Amino acid sequence: MARTRDHDACPGALTVHRAADGALVRIRLAGGRITAAQLAALAEVVAQFGSSAMELTSRGNIQLRALTDTVAVGEAVTAAGLVPSPTHERVRNIVASPLTGRADGIADVGALIGDLDLAIQADPALAALPGRFWFSLDDGRGDVSGSGADAGIHMLDADTAAVLLAGRDTGVRLPIADAVETLVTVASRFLDIREKSWRVTELDDVTPLIAHLPVSAPAGRQWPPTVKPPVGWIDQRDGRVALGAALPLGVLGAEVAQYLAAVEAPLVITPWRSVLLCDLDEGVADAALRVLAPLGLVFDENSPWLDVSACTGSPGCAQSTADVRADAARAVADGPGRPSATHRHFVGCERACGSPAVGEVLVATDDGYQLRVTPVR
């Protein structure tokens, strides 16, 4: 069902949202990729103009909160190369398998990230996409196909991709060389028929999105959502190492970000609010691990922090009725100290922002937290 309003207030790097704690911007990172220099620049921005911390989002982006000078912030993030297209900066929503080309996966979709990003920017019409519309590129391991992106591909072998709509296999099969053009076509067709819809799931009929595309397999398959990030020591195919670090409740302080940037390695922000430090020699990885772990980064796959998440909550969000991050942290501290069978997401109101596709959503009310049995994507 379509929404009843057409105004899309989704923030961007230059499109400011006014939250209870001040101005907020969201930096889109295609495929979650960011350089060490860019992360260091963002750390300087929040230290000087913001809350001294960043928020990692469930689409591999970064939010900056409580900003005091949005003009200066816009200039700084643009100078850092994080706004390649002012007209399209809110619609560069691309999630990809974070370890693609480095570990596991059926095919390397890394090159598609940049190609799709450029193709989106090159089409003036796509600037009108809603800020919530997003793309997924899954290298066959199934880690992002279950996230329910509006338009995506899932690699079936080294050259063949399945086309997905809202995380569901459409039966369309095509060579990887046609993936970017096809995803852009789907997005263009969505604009043609969307009316007031912001997401593919809100359309009554999605068949126009794949009209004339080669359907050659049964449709309907879905992939289970991934909730936990890759953490710890990860051996890459090339003999080097990636370090996966979870951030408790997705909050990355400016000082910790500076330490991450100091490693001077490629970084990936994952859709599970974690960070990957990639392409490290073993000695560098070992030294980085010893420095970063005491700073609060989580490298233990059995940490209870991997089973808990939260929206911003009070005092940052005016809609929230509770300081949900404090309550989530208290739940971890009071818990058994071991992994849970169920992921818990604490939210401050019925909007349930950032809710994962599986697990328990605990909604704050005047009488405590109420369990939402069926989470909303």
Side-chain angles (χ1 to χ4, degrees):
M1 179 179 295
R3 299 176 189 263
T4 57
R5 61 187 177 91
D6 197 37
H7 175 63
D8 180 8
C10 199
L14 306 178
T15 306
V16 179
H17 170 72
R18 298 291 172 179
D21 58 349
L24 176 152
V25 300
R26 183 177 300 158
I27 314 297
R28 263 67 174 192
L29 305 176
R33 296 181 171 187
I34 185 170
T35 67
Q38 289 171 333
L39 183 62
L42 290 183
E44 292 179 8
V45 165
V46 295
Q48 184 175 359
F49 301 112
S51 65
S52 77
M54 295 171 258
E55 294 177 339
L56 310 188
T57 78
S58 59
R59 295 184 186 174
N61 297 320
I62 295 179
Q63 287 189 164
L64 314 181
R65 304 189 67 90
L67 300 174
T68 58
D69 188 337
T70 55
V71 173
V73 170
E75 292 173 349
V77 297
T78 300
L82 291 166
V83 189
S85 171
T87 56
H88 290 67
E89 57 102 3
R90 289 199 314 156
V91 302
R92 298 171 50 249
N93 296 308
I94 304 170
V95 171
S97 299
L99 284 166
T100 191
R102 291 187 167 102
D104 302 322
I106 293 175
D108 184 356
V109 297
L112 297 183
I113 298 172
D115 291 346
L116 178 57
D117 192 17
L118 290 174
I120 293 169
Q121 296 175 50
D123 189 332
L126 293 186
L129 279 172
R132 289 169 172 78
F133 187 99
W134 56 300
F135 303 86
S136 65
L137 304 171
D138 195 303
D139 66 5
R141 77 186 70 209
D143 56 349
V144 298
S145 286
S147 58
D150 294 280
I153 62 160
H154 184 102
M155 297 305 301
L156 302 174
D157 57 40
D159 185 63
T160 307
V163 175
L164 279 56
L165 293 177
R168 187 182 297 271
D169 188 353
T170 62
V172 173
R173 299 291 183 265
L174 46 81
I176 190 172
D178 296 338
V180 168
E181 181 181 359
T182 299
L183 291 175
V184 168
T185 296
V186 168
S188 298
R189 292 175 177 176
F190 174 79
L191 281 176
D192 291 339
I193 67 172
R194 79 177 188 95
E195 296 182 346
K196 291 187 177 182
S197 297
W198 294 347
R199 301 289 311 279
V200 166
T201 52
E202 298 168 13
L203 297 176
D204 293 328
D205 181 14
V206 300
T207 54
L209 301 181
I210 58 170
H212 309 302
L213 294 178
V215 177
S216 58
R221 179 184 175 187
Q222 292 180 285
W223 284 261
T226 297
V227 176
K228 290 188 177 183
V231 296
W233 186 283
I234 302 166
D235 292 320
Q236 297 185 176
R237 292 172 180 167
D238 61 4
R240 293 183 291 181
V241 174
L243 292 178
L247 279 299
L249 304 180
V251 178
L252 175 59
E255 183 179 3
V256 177
Q258 290 285 14
Y259 274 98
L260 283 167
V263 182
E264 296 186 341
L267 295 134
V268 181
I269 307 300
T270 80
W272 310 285
R273 300 182 174 91
S274 69
V275 179
L276 288 170
L277 276 167
C278 304
D279 304 342
L280 305 174
D281 294 331
E282 286 194 7
V284 174
D286 184 65
L289 194 59
R290 293 174 186 273
V291 171
L292 296 171
L295 298 176
L297 296 173
V298 177
F299 295 94
D300 180 5
E301 64 181 6
N302 294 312
S303 171
W305 281 113
L306 304 186
D307 301 315
V308 175
S309 57
C311 71
T312 298
S314 300
C317 178
Q319 303 294 325
S320 179
T321 60
D323 186 347
V324 295
R325 284 182 176 166
D327 291 340
R330 193 174 299 112
V332 172
D334 296 342
R338 59 177 183 271
S340 170
T342 303
H343 186 92
R344 291 175 295 169
H345 184 68
F346 290 74
V347 296
C349 72
E350 286 290 335
R351 294 170 64 187
C353 294
S355 294
V358 293
E360 297 178 350
V361 176
L362 301 170
V363 183
T365 68
D366 292 336
D367 298 320
Y369 283 91
Q370 180 179 355
L371 175 63
R372 176 174 290 178
V373 178
T374 305
V376 178
R377 277 194 188 272

